[in-house]
Amino acid sequence: MTPNRPYLLRAFYEWIVDNDCTPYLVVDASYPQTKVPQQFVQNGQIVLNLAPSAVAQMQMGNDVISCSARFGGHPFALYIPVRAVLAIYAKENGAGTVFTLDEDEDFPDEHEMESPPEPVATEPASKKLAKASHLKVIK
């Protein structure tokens, strides 16, 4: 069977947005091929606001999440391998889930994934980063 992480990510994202909450994604910024603005990385991780109003051209595929966002007024093309996602949660109440890397997950190796795209200018999108997260695991 295919890995369930991309499906769970999309489901949690939709659930959070449908409940008028702000979806935050915790990403391992050191994971191979991950493209995030390094100046906002703390302790090897970055927390991203993926609200529809904060990003443009969002694509949540089975291997990669990509979108455009603004950081400090500058456009940035985010490229996040699904395996780099550590958690997804709602900013307002912490509802969401934490992911662990199951050793039997059959994700493609980083050399099998497409190369990340080059940053491109996009339409304006606001972007806020969480200073601290309070995760609540939903099973």
Side-chain angles (χ1 to χ4, degrees), residues 62-98:
N62 288 342
D63 300 323
V64 173
I65 299 168
S66 63
C67 61
S68 298
R70 291 194 168 274
F71 293 85
H74 295 49
F76 194 93
L78 296 169
Y79 186 88
I80 305 156
V82 169
R83 288 182 98 175
V85 177
L86 303 173
I88 184 169
Y89 67 98
K91 170 190 169 191
E92 292 77 6
N93 59 18
T97 192
V98 176

Side-chain angles (χ1 to χ4, degrees), residues 7-74:
Y7 299 93
L8 293 172
L9 270 170
R10 287 190 292 268
F12 271 98
Y13 178 86
E14 187 174 325
W15 175 65
I16 291 167
V17 171
D18 283 354
N19 282 280
D20 296 321
C21 291
T22 309
Y24 275 15
L25 206 66
V26 182
V27 177
D28 176 355
S30 65
Y31 193 85
Q33 294 191 349
T34 301
K35 287 189 73 173
V36 296
Q38 293 299 309
Q39 64 269 34
F40 296 101
V41 172
Q42 294 181 349
N43 299 322
Q45 298 178 0
I46 188 168
V47 179
L48 301 168
N49 173 355
L50 292 187
S53 61
V55 297
Q57 302 167 340
M58 171 94 118
Q59 303 241 336
M60 294 184 92
N62 288 342
D63 300 323
V64 173
I65 299 168
S66 63
C67 61
S68 298
R70 291 194 168 274
F71 293 85
H74 295 49

